[in-house]
Amino acid sequence: MISPTIANMTLDGIENLLDQKFGKKKSSRKREQLGINDTRYADNLTITGKTHEAVIRVQEILEEFLKTRGLKLSKEKTKISHIDEGFNFLGFNIRKYNGKLIIKPQKEKITLFLSRVGKVIREFRADSQDNLISKLNPITRGWCNYYRFVCSKRIFQKIDHLIFNKLWFWAKRRHPSKPKKWLKKRYWRKIGNRDWRFVAISKITGETCTTLIAASDTKIIRHTKIKSKANPYFPEDHQYFINRLLKKWQLTNNRKMKQLVRRQKGRCPVCENPISTEDRLEIDHIQQRSLGGTDEINNLRLMCYNCHHQRHSKQITLQLAVPGNP
């Protein structure tokens, strides 16, 4: 994480410079007329303006700003375009269609994702269906979660169709002499109201082991912008960020995790730090199962990886230190 941190420290001051040249947002008539707004993420920057001349003026100011820091704009990545033509930013395509702004996944990122899925399917062409699904699910889940906040519904449906074609070719290659009905019965099942779900069935019990995640099952949720003045390091803002985390946890499909996070008020019970969906978390048994503990929700708690690891490391050390312990 040091690279984006250094980029933020180096480029800090662009917003204040634009305020000095054109006035502050929402309070300067000149800036409102020019429509100049900036959005920056580490070293990625986009500037919007109502006229081509205004954007050119901002570009000149930025070049002077970067020159004092020994930097310059990339000619390959810097582009000036009309909003009706659109532009790409952080993997998203931002464009107006008939006056309506629509943000969608970037075409190149869709192609890259599908090529990655195809590569995994080829690598696992001789492996079990269960292992293939276990490898594909994290890839699909991560990609869809990144694009779930924009207009991605139709693209998710298209992705499901293209992945199905790849899996159908994978199944036909494994069983070239088998008919379509046999392949469908062997690798696909009907779950609920949805047919043709790629499902691995246990040969011993005959029950479902793993199911391939469908991209179209990802719900589209509009992102709520963080308050500009909120700071996670200020005590007065802790509750605000905890509430955001709790809302984010409600989007997960794991009911047990939801209950634990709600009961613990979004914090690890040991270090008391906020727990995020991106953290490496583990479910801990308050009373260990070896000592009679159960898997009931009242005997469970959600802990960050370090706290959980330290707890069990200390327990192992104590057990070994007891004289006469077998």
Side-chain angles (χ1 to χ4, degrees), residues 267-275 303-307 310:
R267 293 182 179 275
C268 173
V270 179
C271 63
E272 296 185 354
N273 287 326
I275 50 180
M303 299 173 62
C304 59
Y305 171 77
N306 289 333
C307 293
Q310 290 176 7

Side-chain angles (χ1 to χ4, degrees), residues 136-199:
L136 289 176
N137 276 347
I139 299 174
T140 305
R141 184 186 297 112
W143 195 87
C144 292
N145 284 343
Y146 183 74
Y147 290 105
R148 70 187 304 176
F149 301 101
V150 296
C151 304
S152 307
K153 185 175 181 179
R154 293 183 179 178
I155 293 175
F156 287 167
Q157 293 173 348
K158 182 179 179 180
I159 284 175
D160 284 339
H161 174 70
L162 295 175
I163 292 178
F164 169 80
N165 290 340
K166 294 178 184 294
L167 293 174
W168 183 256
F169 180 79
W170 173 87
K172 287 180 65 177
R173 186 184 181 280
R174 291 167 67 95
H175 311 281
S177 60
K178 294 295 183 180
K180 294 181 179 179
K181 289 185 178 180
W182 188 92
L183 292 176
K184 199 267 183 184
K185 185 178 180 181
R186 173 68 175 81
Y187 293 108
W188 282 269
R189 291 287 190 278
K190 183 177 182 179
I191 300 179
N193 296 326
R194 186 164 183 174
D195 202 358
W196 290 91
R197 295 301 299 265
F198 195 65
V199 178

Side-chain angles (χ1 to χ4, degrees), residues 239 242 245-247 249-250 254-270 272-273 275 282-287 294-303:
Q239 191 58 44
I242 290 295
L245 284 175
L246 291 175
K247 289 182 179 179
W249 274 104
Q250 297 307 311
N254 194 319
R255 294 183 179 180
K256 184 176 290 186
M257 297 277 274
K258 288 182 185 179
Q259 293 178 346
L260 293 174
V261 172
R262 193 184 308 114
R263 188 177 68 184
Q264 298 172 195
K265 298 182 179 178
R267 293 182 179 275
C268 173
V270 179
E272 296 185 354
N273 287 326
I275 50 180
E282 295 188 357
I283 295 179
D284 177 64
H285 290 77
I286 299 175
Q287 184 180 9
T294 65
D295 290 329
E296 297 294 329
I297 191 71
N298 293 331
N299 190 48
L300 302 177
R301 57 181 178 178
L302 195 63
M303 299 173 62

Side-chain angles (χ1 to χ4, degrees), residues 2 16 31 36 58 60 83 90 97 119 123 131-132 158 185 190 194 205 214 245 275 283 291 301 307 312 322:
I2 192 64
N16 293 333
R31 186 157 184 173
I36 295 176
V58 174
E60 294 173 353
I83 190 62
L90 299 177
Y97 296 83
K119 182 180 178 181
E123 290 178 352
N131 290 340
L132 175 61
K158 182 179 179 180
K185 185 178 180 181
K190 183 177 182 179
R194 186 164 183 174
T205 62
L245 284 175
I275 50 180
I283 295 179
L291 302 176
R301 57 181 178 178
C307 293
H312 286 280
V322 176

